[in-house]
Each structure stands twice: as structure tokens, then as C-alpha cells.
Amino acid sequence: MMYTVVQNHSQLLVFHHIWTEVWREKGFELEYEQEVLDRMIVSNEEGVSVGTFEIKPYCTEESNPIHQIAPFHEQPELMEPTAHVAEVDKVALLKQHRGANISRLLSAMVNYADKHHFNYYICLLEPVFARALRVSFHIPARQIAGRIAYKGDDVIPTIIHVGKIWGNKSEFEWLLPDTQEVGVATLV
């Protein structure tokens, strides 16, 4: 099992435990979203819950709070009628499980996008993570603004062309096959 879609209260508790622990470690301000499409718990090879990510609907209207941070609504690729866009948030890996599990986290995000036909993810990336995505994983992404101070750290507003990844899986050797399973997540 690579990832579990949160479907019950105990899974939601595991999800919140992981991302809040990582946010506190990094010094980020905690924020809880009401409107989400899905919340995922990423597991390591032993089935231990090690990470999270959250998929939120993307609204192109200027009133969307993310547009106060960066002008995503002005980006041409996101305005195309065929663009299927989601916002990614709460991307987190517990400190003791980083390294080997980054590819599991990224693979889960790509496999989720493939399953739901998302072409683009928009996100506010922590600068070190942004560099790792670019240098180590060769993620097709475009920075749309400079570093911005936001909720306890600098972030880089970024569009990830996730459709280029799931549409060309053989070009990304770190990408693991989809092994999503719905079930009870465990935290060890």
C-alpha cells in the first residue's frame, strides 16, 4: 500500500498527527482547511504511515485566498479550457522517514493526479523541497513568483505540470506504480 484516502475519523486523526508534527518542526503556522477533495496518508514499504498530502479544489476567481499570495489566476496554462487543476497542501513526511520515502510521497501524488485526470497542481513550496523536486526528481514545474514570506517560512509559488509526469511515466525512474489501497492507516 502506497497511500490511503482518508475516509474515517481514525484515519483523519493520523493525517492531522503527521502534518501538524511536521509543520511544528518546521515552524509553520497551522491552518485547517474545510473544503478539500481528498486527504491522503502515505505509507512506507512496511505499511507505516509516514506522510500526508491534501488535494483542494482550485478556483480561478480572484477572490480565492491563494491569489492573494501569488497570481495563479493570471497563468495562461491554468486558464486553458482543458486544464484540470488542483491545489496541493499539507505535503509532509515525518522527519525519521524522509529520504527513501520522498519518491513514495511524490509517486502517490502523481498516481492520484493520474486517477483523477489532473494536469496541474498548484502549490506553495518550501525552497529546499522545491530545489529537490527540480534537481533530484526533474519535476516539470514553473515558479510563478519569487520567494514570499508566508505563515512562518518562505515559499515559492509553483505550478507543477503533473500531467507531463503521469503521461510519460517511463521518463521518471523514481515513479512507483500505483498501489493505493483503501484501509485503516496505522501510525507507528
Side-chain angles (χ1 to χ4, degrees), residues 6-174:
V6 171
Q7 295 185 336
N8 60 46
H9 184 69
S10 63
Q11 291 171 339
L12 186 62
L13 291 175
V14 171
F15 175 87
H16 286 313
H17 170 79
I18 293 171
W19 79 262
T20 58
E21 181 175 322
V22 172
W23 257 231
R24 285 184 182 109
E25 169 204 337
K26 300 277 188 185
F28 300 158
E29 185 178 316
L30 300 182
E31 61 182 2
Y32 294 84
E33 298 297 328
Q34 298 302 317
E35 191 176 353
V36 299
L37 296 174
D38 277 312
R39 292 178 172 112
M40 270 59 65
I41 300 168
V42 178
S43 301
N44 67 11
E45 289 180 356
E46 291 79 38
V48 175
S49 300
V50 298
T52 62
F53 66 98
E54 180 175 83
I55 304 295
K56 302 185 322 191
Y58 174 66
C59 170
T60 57
E61 294 178 16
E62 205 166 326
S63 61
N64 184 339
I66 199 162
H67 298 148
Q68 306 305 310
I69 303 159
F72 287 102
H73 62 297
E74 296 174 2
Q75 305 311 306
E77 63 267 47
L78 302 182
M79 291 189 254
E80 295 173 8
T82 58
H84 195 182
V85 184
E87 184 179 342
V88 179
D89 199 3
K90 312 272 187 306
V91 177
L93 272 175
L94 293 168
K95 187 175 187 172
Q96 65 272 28
H97 296 286
R98 292 184 192 141
N101 288 299
I102 293 175
S103 62
R104 292 183 72 78
L105 174 69
L106 294 176
S107 295
M109 293 170 65
V110 170
N111 289 321
Y112 181 89
D114 185 8
K115 192 172 285 184
H116 297 279
H117 310 291
F118 287 114
N119 298 324
Y120 299 100
Y121 280 153
I122 66 165
C123 49
L124 302 173
L125 294 176
E126 187 270 334
V128 173
F129 189 52
R131 185 177 191 287
L133 294 182
R134 186 179 71 253
V135 174
S136 300
F137 294 93
H138 308 288
I139 300 290
R142 185 169 69 82
Q143 181 177 330
I144 67 159
R147 289 169 79 133
I148 299 167
Y150 180 70
K151 299 198 180 220
D153 196 5
D154 284 351
V155 294
I156 298 174
T158 304
I159 298 171
I160 297 174
H161 195 325
V162 70
K164 280 187 179 177
I165 303 172
W166 60 255
N168 301 289
K169 292 178 181 176
S170 63
E171 294 179 22
F172 300 91
E173 57 188 55
W174 53 263

